[in-house]
Amino acid sequence: MNLETIARLSGVSRSTVSRVINDSPNVRAEVRERVIKVLQETNFQPNLAARGLAAGKTKILGLVVPQGFSQIFIDPYFPLLIQGVSSACNAHEYALMLWLEEPKSAQRMIRQILHSGMIDGVIITSSHRSDPVTQALLARSFPFVVVGRVAEDLPASYVDIDNVSSARRAVEHLLGLGRRRIVTIAGPLNMVAAVDRLQGYYAALSAARIEPPPEWVDYGDYTQEGGFEAMQRLLACQPDAVFASSDAMAVGAARALQAAGITVGREVALIGFDDVPFASHMQPPLTTIRQPIEALGQFAAEMLIRQLRGDRTSTPAHQLLATELIVRQSCGAYSSL
Amino acid sequence: MNLETIARLSGVSRSTVSRVINDSPNVRAEVRERVIKVLQETNFQPNLAARGLAAGKTKILGLVVPQGFSQIFIDPYFPLLIQGVSSACNAHEYALMLWLEEPKSAQRMIRQILHSGMIDGVIITSSHRSDPVTQALLARSFPFVVVGRVAEDLPASYVDIDNVSSARRAVEHLLGLGRRRIVTIAGPLNMVAAVDRLQGYYAALSAARIEPPPEWVDYGDYTQEGGFEAMQRLLACQPDAVFASSDAMAVGAARALQAAGITVGREVALIGFDDVPFASHMQPPLTTIRQPIEALGQFAAEMLIRQLRGDRTSTPAHQLLATELIVRQSCGAYSSL
DNA sequence: CTGAAAGCGCTTACAG
DNA sequence: CTGAAAGCGCTTACAG
């Protein structure tokens, strides 16, 4: 079953069938209808390999998931993101290829993406100047979109949440509950999101005319252990609230607080960031900021598809999605219940 | 950069380069070496679209994830499975395409898989006789492997755990702890795994010369709510132990028990199945059976690749992987601690 | 063991 | 608006 067959069945040339399939305007309406009818009757699917070869377009998108990501299995970030990308692909008749980065496979992955002639564009979920994948994509001006904000001077489109204002909102919630000695466990500052969340923390305190001493800020690596250790150090500040910039670190912090005989939600209010499923099952359930992960994937795919349709030289697009404050018991808002 | 270029650089014909790339034996050793050297120097990647068109092979595998799957996000089954498939693909130089089933997209997905000329073979993660995807694959004898046992009379290769013996092991653990009134919450019996786990339950009791009355067996839909409701009904049997055939249902069961004032791990021992991350965070932590999910994905991909290399008419292969009993507090083994 | 040539199924200037 | 023809980059009988 190929174009030639469809052409014969509908009494036109192969070229015309191709035009109909690709929505070219240069087809007479009645001819178009005739061909479309045959197309539907035969349930025809053009051979993507041939199309890829002839036109340089395959209607296949790639998604690159960095290494560490898929290892944090308590966190459904990765499946939700895939879900979003996949549903956008479905909606736009694209197919999806997936690469989970492995230690030694980056070079081959780059080859497969850039030189296989198989992929129209790619979504990557982390990007910094030294990232070899980003490098390669930029060097060949291969179309791509990043999930997560990138440095200003990298000419790349991205989709992200507004980490600054989301973190600010979290801290403002604590302020609204009367908390004043609010410390924070920030993430690794080589990650853009970590920097932004810390900035949001400062912004909220500053607006409340609170100037946090340097000791109020400690750092973790986004893991429970990191949160636990940071919290132990922060206890010396005698905080009445903690903003942890990931739920995982909040879990660790809660453990450290409990170990010190402090009741979370009463003596110390605790707020996280992400809203992983486990957050609602903690004791006490964790107040946190929910990211629209699936939507991030969806918007990234749609941004990429738009970029593939239009001219590639257009200015990089940036899109920030809204987050949601999820109030549970750990911040003490319901402590009287 | 194409075969022609490589041919010129190494002083041979395009055909010979192709033979070297595809490990054809019909190349003189010194010529082969010369070509390989150029290949490495240029970091050449053959155009997969062209190869797909010419040879009908692309070195791309497909993975189909059924709908409900990706919605159970507390369960890392899906990311782990992808991880396994992906790492096998990396090891064998295959690339991976992914489809998450959506309500209306099955037909297009089938078209993309079967008729796009893009995919050498596909891994599907559920399969029953009426499944349209399975139907289509069988009808066209498209190469595929199933994760999860399929009915005897379906000529399909599969990888699975041994659900019967794993469930039996779980129930034997309860028996070994002196429990005798062991009830079970089975899964939906239209799922092969649910039937098998129930059979394992019967086998263990039968070997212990216990004949469970029909009331001891109730059913859930693998969700927490289902487990909660089933447990409420089972309370009338005055059980001293419960085998829930999924962790999610075990969580629901624990809640129902606690609501009835029963201490899990003391008055009633509880054991689950799956070992989702949440299992270890429950109160009390859940004893359960751990599945080697990542290995399932890996073995499925390798089985498929083997099938693609060999003749397709060989007998379907079946492979069962071992599970592990993870003993925590919910079964009461440590209740004296 | 090696090369020239046909062909895989599309798209797309080009000519009409 | 439509068709004949070239060409995308490979693989693979075929001939030597």
Side-chain angles (χ1 to χ4, degrees):
Chain A
M1 180 65 65
N2 56 21
L3 274 195
E4 196 63 59
T5 315
I6 304 294
R8 204 175 333 112
L9 289 173
S10 38
V12 296
S13 77
R14 194 157 82 226
S15 319
T16 299
V17 177
S18 176
R19 289 193 188 95
V20 171
I21 290 176
N22 294 294
D23 284 325
S24 157
N26 298 329
V27 181
R28 195 150 39 102
E30 64 177 296
V31 173
R32 176 186 305 278
E33 274 175 35
R34 188 145 40 97
V35 174
I36 285 179
K37 194 150 161 263
V38 175
L39 248 22
Q40 286 171 344
E41 282 167 5
T42 55
N43 199 15
F44 177 73
Q45 164 76 34
N47 182 306
L48 294 184
R51 170 182 287 172
L53 190 53
K57 308 239 154 286
T58 54
K59 292 213 132 198
I60 300 179
L61 259 40
L63 174 62
V64 176
V65 177
Q67 186 167 14
F69 249 97
S70 45
Q71 286 169 8
I72 312 167
F73 284 123
I74 199 173
D75 187 338
Y77 188 94
F78 160 56
L80 279 170
L81 192 78
I82 293 189
Q83 178 101 328
V85 171
S86 167
S87 88
C89 283
N90 276 338
H92 297 275
E93 304 254 325
Y94 274 76
L96 179 62
M97 287 190 79
L98 183 72
W99 283 271
L100 306 193
E101 273 195 270
E102 286 189 6
K104 306 265 167 142
S105 66
Q107 215 48 46
R108 175 156 33 82
M109 189 176 76
I110 291 171
R111 285 211 323 256
Q112 287 179 334
I113 293 173
L114 289 172
H115 306 303
S116 71
M118 218 50 165
I119 310 254
D120 288 352
V122 67
I123 297 167
I124 61 181
T125 45
S126 81
S127 176
H128 43 271
R129 208 175 321 283
S130 58
D131 175 39
V133 178
T134 310
Q135 295 269 352
L137 293 169
L138 282 171
R140 310 205 155 238
S141 52
F142 192 91
F144 73 107
V145 164
V146 184
V147 177
R149 190 165 77 79
V150 301
E152 300 293 333
D153 56 328
L154 275 187
S157 295
Y158 64 79
V159 183
D160 201 356
I161 56 167
D162 188 335
N163 281 293
V164 178
S165 75
S166 302
R168 178 174 179 157
R169 174 109 186 271
V171 175
E172 282 171 352
H173 179 66
L174 295 171
L175 288 164
L177 294 168
R179 306 289 175 167
R180 285 298 174 269
R181 301 184 59 82
I182 305 174
V183 301
T184 189
I185 305 175
L189 291 190
N190 60 346
M191 296 179 72
V192 178
V195 174
D196 287 358
R197 291 175 194 179
L198 182 57
Q199 191 188 323
Y201 163 82
Y202 283 127
L205 290 188
S206 163
R209 305 187 171 279
I210 296 175
E211 189 147 337
E215 317 87 75
W216 285 17
V217 178
D218 209 309
Y219 299 90
D221 55 356
Y222 278 144
T223 66
Q224 293 192 22
E225 291 66 37
F228 182 85
E229 290 164 14
M231 191 66 240
Q232 284 190 315
R233 293 188 293 266
L234 286 166
L235 282 172
C237 308
Q238 300 189 295
D240 63 8
V242 182
F243 166 51
S245 57
S246 85
D247 283 356
M249 294 201 294
V251 170
R255 210 172 284 164
L257 287 164
Q258 281 152 3
I262 295 170
T263 306
V264 173
R266 189 175 301 264
E267 286 132 279
V268 172
L270 175 64
I271 191 164
F273 202 112
D274 288 340
D275 195 29
V276 302
F278 182 57
S280 61
H281 295 295
M282 265 178 67
Q283 277 315 323
L286 184 68
T287 293
T288 189
I289 299 284
R290 180 181 294 166
Q291 300 195 50
I293 304 170
E294 189 170 347
L296 283 172
Q298 214 166 317
F299 278 80
E302 274 164 2
M303 187 179 276
L304 180 55
I305 290 170
R306 233 175 293 130
Q307 181 177 331
L308 292 171
R309 284 196 187 130
D311 67 335
R312 299 187 181 184
T313 57
S314 66
T315 320
H318 305 319
Q319 194 159 27
L320 293 181
L321 304 188
T323 56
E324 199 182 343
L325 173 66
I326 307 293
V327 178
R328 299 200 184 93
Q329 278 85 49
S330 72
C331 58
Y334 296 151
S335 62
S336 55
L337 297 186
Chain B
M1 180 65 64
N2 56 22
L3 274 196
E4 196 65 56
T5 316
I6 304 296
R8 205 177 329 112
L9 289 173
S10 39
V12 296
S13 76
R14 194 157 81 227
S15 319
T16 299
V17 177
S18 175
R19 289 193 189 95
V20 170
I21 290 176
N22 294 292
D23 283 326
S24 156
N26 300 327
V27 180
R28 201 151 35 105
E30 63 174 299
V31 173
R32 176 187 305 279
E33 273 174 37
R34 187 145 39 97
V35 175
I36 285 179
K37 195 153 159 260
V38 175
L39 248 21
Q40 285 170 344
E41 281 166 6
T42 54
N43 200 15
F44 177 72
Q45 164 77 36
N47 181 305
L48 292 184
R51 171 182 286 172
L53 190 54
K57 307 239 155 286
T58 54
K59 290 214 134 200
I60 299 178
L61 259 38
L63 174 62
V64 176
V65 177
Q67 183 165 19
F69 249 95
S70 44
Q71 287 169 6
I72 311 167
F73 283 122
I74 197 172
D75 186 339
Y77 189 93
F78 159 58
L80 280 171
L81 191 77
I82 293 188
Q83 178 102 328
V85 171
S86 167
S87 88
C89 283
N90 276 339
H92 296 275
E93 303 253 326
Y94 274 76
L96 179 61
M97 289 190 78
L98 184 71
W99 283 270
L100 306 192
E101 274 196 270
E102 284 190 6
K104 305 263 167 143
S105 67
Q107 214 49 45
R108 175 156 34 82
M109 188 176 77
I110 291 170
R111 283 210 324 257
Q112 286 179 334
I113 294 172
L114 289 172
H115 306 302
S116 72
M118 219 51 164
I119 311 255
D120 287 353
V122 68
I123 296 167
I124 60 180
T125 45
S126 80
S127 175
H128 42 271
R129 208 174 320 284
S130 60
D131 176 38
V133 178
T134 310
Q135 295 268 352
L137 294 170
L138 282 171
R140 311 208 154 237
S141 51
F142 193 90
F144 73 106
V145 163
V146 184
V147 177
R149 189 165 77 81
V150 302
E152 300 294 333
D153 56 329
L154 276 187
S157 295
Y158 65 79
V159 182
D160 202 356
I161 56 166
D162 188 335
N163 281 292
V164 177
S165 75
S166 302
R168 179 173 178 158
R169 175 109 186 270
V171 175
E172 282 171 352
H173 179 67
L174 295 172
L175 288 164
L177 294 168
R179 306 290 175 168
R180 285 298 173 271
R181 300 184 59 82
I182 304 174
V183 301
T184 189
I185 305 175
L189 292 191
N190 60 345
M191 297 179 73
V192 178
V195 174
D196 287 358
R197 291 175 193 179
L198 182 56
Q199 192 189 324
Y201 163 82
Y202 283 127
L205 290 188
S206 163
R209 304 187 171 279
I210 296 174
E211 189 147 338
E215 315 89 74
W216 285 17
V217 178
D218 209 310
Y219 299 90
D221 55 357
Y222 279 142
T223 67
Q224 294 192 21
E225 292 66 36
F228 182 86
E229 290 166 13
M231 191 67 240
Q232 285 191 314
R233 292 188 293 267
L234 286 166
L235 283 172
C237 308
Q238 300 189 295
D240 62 8
V242 181
F243 166 52
S245 56
S246 86
D247 283 357
M249 295 201 295
V251 171
R255 209 172 284 162
L257 288 164
Q258 280 151 3
I262 296 170
T263 306
V264 173
R266 189 175 301 266
E267 286 133 278
V268 172
L270 176 62
I271 191 164
F273 202 112
D274 288 339
D275 196 29
V276 302
F278 182 59
S280 61
H281 296 295
M282 264 179 67
Q283 278 314 327
L286 185 67
T287 294
T288 189
I289 299 285
R290 180 181 293 165
Q291 301 194 49
I293 303 171
E294 189 169 349
L296 283 172
Q298 212 166 316
F299 278 79
E302 276 165 0
M303 187 179 277
L304 180 55
I305 291 169
R306 233 175 293 130
Q307 181 177 333
L308 292 171
R309 284 196 187 132
D311 67 333
R312 299 187 180 184
T313 56
S314 67
T315 321
H318 306 318
Q319 196 160 26
L320 293 181
L321 305 188
T323 56
E324 198 182 344
L325 173 67
I326 307 292
V327 178
R328 298 200 185 94
Q329 278 85 48
S330 73
C331 58
Y334 297 150
S335 61
S336 54
L337 297 186

